[in-house]
Amino acid sequence: MSLDMVFLGPPGAGKGTYAKELVKLFNIPHISTGDMFREAVASGSELGKKVEEILKRGDLVPDDLTISIVKDRLSKEDCKNGFILDGFPRTVDQAKALDEILNFLGRELGYAFYFEVNEEVVVQRITNRRICKNCGKIYNLLTMPPKVDGKCDVCGGELFQREDDGEEVVRNRYKVYMENTYPVIEYYQKQNKLFTIDGASGVDSVIKEVLNIVRR
Ligand code: ADP
Ligand code: ZN
């Protein structure tokens, strides 16, 4: 099976953390639509201006915009041996569009991993999430704190909190997820491509489970 994979699950399920570890092992790119949108906002591009307020509220960027950036990205040379898509698809229409994009590229999705966690875990994790400004490493003040307050263990960079990681916006992101993204799980279930993993079981154990599934 191809190493074309999507990571599904609510905000805070750990998709980004797992993806960052796994792409090192598979040598394929980690494609996070959330990161792409945040980079656009930071750079002040046209796209950034369009999505800035949407991200602040925790709402979804319109499908047409999102699908077109994913299509461009997947067409790049570095995706030829596979990719991990993190944060896309988030609607059933995006999932259908992804099938069409892959079909157009002469390939097919291999796996849809669903990292399952409940709302309270989501809120606890996200409101305590801090990220290194320099290398992107993700910490949790309660469960994976940095050794020195406010500083990255790996590179010494400064840690910051994402603008959409406050409790109120997180609750909205969870609600948006249940309404729009949960149906995507059913979509992949019907295609027999869904693999459900307990997202509350710890990073190492999640990574092992994914590797077991991909290698069998
Ligand atoms: P999360 O931790 O909620 O999974 P992401 O970094 O994946 O966060 O996404 C951050 C924000 O970027 C979302 O709340 C949404 O506004 C926007 N976004 C990311 N991916 C998509 C997508 N596939 N469709 C629509 N909006 C998206
Ligand atoms: Zn760092």
Side-chain angles (χ1 to χ4, degrees):
M1 244 201 275
S2 81
L3 283 181
D4 296 359
M5 309 184 227
V6 298
F7 280 14
L8 308 167
K15 303 181 296 288
T17 302
Y18 313 138
K20 285 194 179 100
E21 287 303 313
L22 288 159
V23 292
K24 290 188 222 158
L25 304 173
F26 295 135
N27 204 15
I28 54 178
H30 170 206
I31 302 171
S32 157
T33 44
D35 285 348
M36 289 162 95
F37 289 135
R38 278 186 293 279
E39 278 158 24
V41 171
S43 77
S45 67
E46 278 309 304
L47 174 66
K49 284 179 203 143
K50 280 189 201 152
V51 303
E52 186 166 12
E53 292 306 314
I54 301 174
L55 261 66
K56 268 192 200 151
R57 292 193 303 267
D59 290 335
L60 291 184
V61 173
D63 279 344
D64 54 345
L65 266 183
T66 308
I67 290 165
S68 87
I69 67 161
V70 169
K71 184 170 186 191
D72 288 349
R73 185 65 189 85
L74 293 183
S75 308
K76 297 219 164 110
E77 177 69 14
D78 65 339
C79 293
K80 68 177 193 307
N81 296 323
F83 54 77
I84 294 179
L85 254 179
D86 157 15
F88 182 96
R90 257 179 161 89
T91 64
V92 171
D93 283 343
Q94 289 180 12
K96 289 181 183 158
L98 178 61
D99 281 345
E100 282 164 25
I101 294 167
L102 291 176
N103 186 35
F104 173 78
L105 295 170
R107 48 210 278 185
E108 193 192 334
L109 191 75
Y111 308 85
F113 286 104
Y114 166 38
F115 303 101
E116 199 172 20
V117 290
N118 67 41
E119 181 171 359
E120 289 324 302
V121 172
V122 163
V123 172
Q124 185 275 20
R125 280 189 182 173
I126 297 192
T127 53
N128 287 293
R129 171 158 74 185
R130 297 293 183 275
I131 305 163
C132 173
K133 253 189 187 140
N134 185 43
C135 74
K137 190 176 160 62
I138 299 164
Y139 295 87
N140 181 293
L141 297 183
L142 300 179
T143 58
M144 276 198 290
K147 293 199 184 90
V148 180
D149 232 21
K151 290 252 178 303
C152 178
D153 294 352
V154 181
C155 74
E158 193 188 325
L159 304 186
F160 74 100
Q161 181 172 32
R162 252 170 61 177
E163 209 172 354
D164 59 350
D165 277 356
E167 175 158 355
E168 204 185 320
V169 175
V170 172
R171 298 251 181 222
N172 183 50
R173 280 158 63 199
Y174 190 82
K175 181 172 151 264
V176 168
Y177 165 79
M178 288 308 289
E179 285 171 11
N180 298 280
T181 311
Y182 198 74
V184 175
I185 287 160
E186 235 172 49
Y187 178 86
Y188 289 118
Q189 180 105 62
K190 284 192 196 124
Q191 293 191 358
N192 282 319
K193 286 185 178 160
L194 191 75
F195 297 87
T196 301
I197 293 180
D198 178 5
S201 68
V203 179
D204 291 349
S205 113
V206 168
I207 301 285
K208 265 191 209 132
E209 261 191 83
V210 172
L211 290 177
N212 281 337
I213 292 164
V214 172
R215 282 173 182 162
R216 80 178 165 221

